[in-house]
Amino acid sequence: MSSHPGQHGPTEGHLTGTGAFGTIDLLSVERLTTAPELVADVAVSPDGQWAYLANWGEPDCAGPEVGGQTSPDAGAWVVDIRDLEDPKKVGFIPSSQDTRPGEGMQVVTITTPKFSGEVLVMNNEQCGKNGRGGISLYDVTNPRKPVKLSEHFGDRANISRGDANDIHSAFAWDTGAKAYAVMVDNFETADVDILDITNPKRPRLVRELDLDTMFPGITQVQLGLVQINLHDVVVKRIDGRWVMLLSYWDGGYVQLDVTDPVNPTLVGDTDFTNPDPELLESTGVALPPEGNGHQAEFTANNQYFIGTDEDFAPYGATSFRISSGAFAGGYPSVPVPGSAPIVVLPDERLNGPVVYGGYGCPDSSPIPSPSSIPGYEASLAAGEESIVVLQRGPTGDPSAPEAACFPGEKAHEAVQAGWDAVVFVQRHGGTENPPFCGSGAFVDVVVGVCTNHEAYHKMFNTGPFSPPWTYPDGPAIGTVGERIDATAAFDGWGYVHLFSNTATNGKFAELDTYAIDEAHEEAYATGYGDLTVHEVATHPDDPARSYLSYYAGGLRALEIQGTELVEVGGYLDESGNNFWGVEVFVRDGRTIILGSDRDSGLWIFEDTGQG
């Protein structure tokens, strides 16, 4: 749905480079692009000879309308890594027009009565009007000559959009006689969609699950952890059964027994510790946890699993007040991940009169400029900002048939119109508390705050002032509302969890957490890039070792010592890094780590403390 590759937040500045340290050595770099934020995930062939990197799409992914092999909007680079010191790009697999892969690419060996070979699994997300969803499967047994097996297969619940739902991530596994894949559905975000890909030319949807409905209680509502969406998933054979490990955002990390994929059963799940343990240990500040269970993997001996919480908002605990009018008072609010925190403003305070701008998507009714609102700019007091209010969506509004978009896209439209800051509003009918207004696709440094639908109506004195709300909903675009006043507090970036893999009463215990030092130092909250963790790859043989892609924090190597996560090495280039994906494999006794840098391409490392 995004028209720009910056789904995971803008990059402003970087940390001071360290080069290689500890047990990590840099072997080589294959630079695939000079365009910022163009590279996404990395996958590696089972034999460790070939790498595949997702091309997330240029800023003009939505156009011009050419596409195809000669002018692809996005796709996947094929890199020959047989010589680890001299990798070479040898091919490119184009995505369909206005379509791109991103997260969770994988190469898996499938050997069933219907197919035998190596299969590349790619997700599909739309970046323009002709975009298509679902997953695509390629035979990459010969990596230089990929063969399309099937494309854009998935859940067609939103068939009115003309295709399968967008897919954010996917994972496949071979059980012997049959093979399966699980998908992360962008449109039905709580869904777990399981496909039979025994014949990868003819996938079949065999089960849809909503874990929150099937297994009530996995969400910690009392802590405000109510954002339920599947984000990532792996499946592994453990003690004779197939176990699916799902990263279910505020629902934590969930395990299902999918030995029978049509009839999964719950193994257990995690809770987020209150107060936030990493924040408390690092800063002494006691605040509730933020959730954001993003991605996880089992250790080699299956004794533990490691999860990464992705949090792009180092400032939380936002105080939001309507400061004038009949409904003056405090309302729930949160930062919008990817937007700039309130503290970048000179007085570290967002305040001023608001104006309604509609939905603010590229195809929505245009956002008015501050100067086009009679008397508005003259009404701003010293230290106040021009603030536009934009609704999440649209979804289900008969007056707005255009597609919904990321908040960063809305913010970009607002910046182009001349606004200083954006107040985002919870979706029509949304009941999340705290509210949720989406995340990602920010390409501008602009302050963004999310508040609930009740506050939206009260900012503009347009009833009804409590649910249920019906369409038409709210004031006319350009309406001036009340003044607001908002502040924020530092609470750190996303970090890493170590869990026991033995459930007690259906719960997996948290044993330790880890973050790079700068992630919980307020001095590094802005101007140093994204300092949240992104993904973890556990060593296939050594149960103690794991590796992290830490965005602007670089590559990090961890070792489990007792029940603690201890950093033993890493790499951060003197010019900075921006690592999205990480994979690890063993070749000829050497531990090799692949990192995909969003701004350059493939980086190859060796853990010299292994082998």
Side-chain angles (χ1 to χ4, degrees), residues 483-526:
R483 277 177 157 76
I484 62 103
D485 195 317
T487 58
F490 178 74
D491 61 5
W493 302 81
Y495 57 88
V496 184
H497 301 261
L498 175 67
F499 296 101
S500 166
N501 198 30
T502 301
T504 302
N505 297 322
K507 295 292 180 182
F508 299 101
E510 181 180 70
L511 304 175
D512 193 26
T513 61
Y514 162 84
I516 60 173
D517 292 339
E518 296 88 349
H520 284 83
E521 295 182 23
E522 190 170 3
Y524 295 96
T526 59

Side-chain angles (χ1 to χ4, degrees), residues 124-187:
N124 293 295
E125 295 180 291
Q126 300 176 49
C127 61
K129 64 181 181 179
N130 298 303
R132 303 181 66 188
I135 64 169
S136 296
L137 305 176
Y138 291 86
D139 181 350
V140 290
T141 307
N142 180 350
R144 292 180 178 273
K145 295 182 178 180
V147 177
K148 186 186 302 179
L149 297 170
S150 58
E151 63 177 351
H152 305 299
F153 188 88
D155 186 353
R156 297 182 178 271
N158 285 275
I159 194 65
S160 61
R161 298 182 65 93
D163 197 67
N165 295 351
D166 279 19
I167 299 302
H168 187 68
S169 181
F171 188 90
W173 69 104
D174 185 341
T175 68
K178 292 189 174 183
Y180 300 92
V182 56
M183 306 183 303
V184 175
D185 190 321
N186 279 1
F187 296 156

Side-chain angles (χ1 to χ4, degrees), residues 428-431 453 457 463-471 473:
H428 178 94
T431 58
H453 213 75
H457 279 265
F465 300 114
S466 59
W469 289 285
T470 57
Y471 293 112
D473 181 27

Side-chain angles (χ1 to χ4, degrees), residues 47-64:
D47 63 4
Q49 304 286 319
W50 305 88
Y52 303 82
L53 286 89
N55 177 310
W56 177 242
E58 300 276 1
D60 65 352
C61 187

Side-chain angles (χ1 to χ4, degrees), residues 257-271:
D257 184 336
V258 291
T259 306
D260 178 0
V262 180
N263 297 292
T265 57
L266 179 66
V267 178
D269 73 307
T270 67
D271 284 339

Side-chain angles (χ1 to χ4, degrees), residues 133-361:
I135 64 169
S136 296
L137 305 176
Y138 291 86
D139 181 350
V140 290
T141 307
N142 180 350
R144 292 180 178 273
K145 295 182 178 180
V147 177
K148 186 186 302 179
L149 297 170
S150 58
E151 63 177 351
H152 305 299
F153 188 88
D155 186 353
R156 297 182 178 271
N158 285 275
I159 194 65
S160 61
R161 298 182 65 93
D163 197 67
N165 295 351
D166 279 19
I167 299 302
H168 187 68
S169 181
F171 188 90
W173 69 104
D174 185 341
T175 68
K178 292 189 174 183
Y180 300 92
V182 56
M183 306 183 303
V184 175
D185 190 321
N186 279 1
F187 296 156
E188 296 177 302
T189 58
D191 257 17
V192 181
D193 294 329
I194 301 177
L195 307 178
D196 184 324
I197 59 167
T198 301
N199 180 355
K201 294 182 179 180
R202 298 176 63 90
R204 295 184 301 113
L205 182 65
V206 295
R207 188 63 196 268
E208 291 183 79
L209 312 171
D210 180 334
L211 302 188
D212 195 34
T213 299
M214 289 182 64
F215 311 114
I218 66 170
T219 306
Q220 293 173 272
V221 177
Q222 75 281 7
L223 295 178
L225 297 176
V226 295
Q227 302 306 322
I228 288 298
N229 59 275
L230 176 61
H231 189 277
D232 212 298
V233 57
V234 297
V235 180
K236 186 177 183 182
R237 187 169 178 81
I238 300 175
D239 296 331
R241 61 179 180 171
W242 290 96
V243 180
M244 182 179 289
L245 175 57
L246 306 108
S247 304
Y248 213 58
W249 214 248
D250 283 1
Y253 299 93
V254 183
Q255 290 188 29
L256 302 178
D257 184 336
V258 291
T259 306
D260 178 0
V262 180
N263 297 292
T265 57
L266 179 66
V267 178
D269 73 307
T270 67
D271 284 339
F272 288 100
T273 302
N274 186 30
D276 185 311
E278 185 62 33
L279 181 65
L280 184 64
E281 178 183 342
S282 300
T283 69
V285 174
L287 290 173
E290 296 184 79
N292 304 328
H294 170 269
Q295 185 257 349
E297 286 196 3
F298 295 104
T299 57
N301 63 359
N302 305 313
Q303 185 176 353
Y304 307 104
F305 61 94
I306 298 173
T308 60
D309 294 352
E310 185 182 42
D311 175 20
F312 287 108
Y315 286 89
T318 302
S319 168
F320 184 93
R321 294 184 58 81
I322 299 176
S323 57
S324 66
F327 298 104
Y331 295 86
S333 68
V334 293
V336 179
S339 66
I342 290 171
V343 296
V344 303
L345 299 172
D347 59 358
E348 300 187 1
R349 178 181 169 206
L350 175 63
N351 60 141
V354 300
V355 172
Y356 183 55
Y359 288 106
C361 288

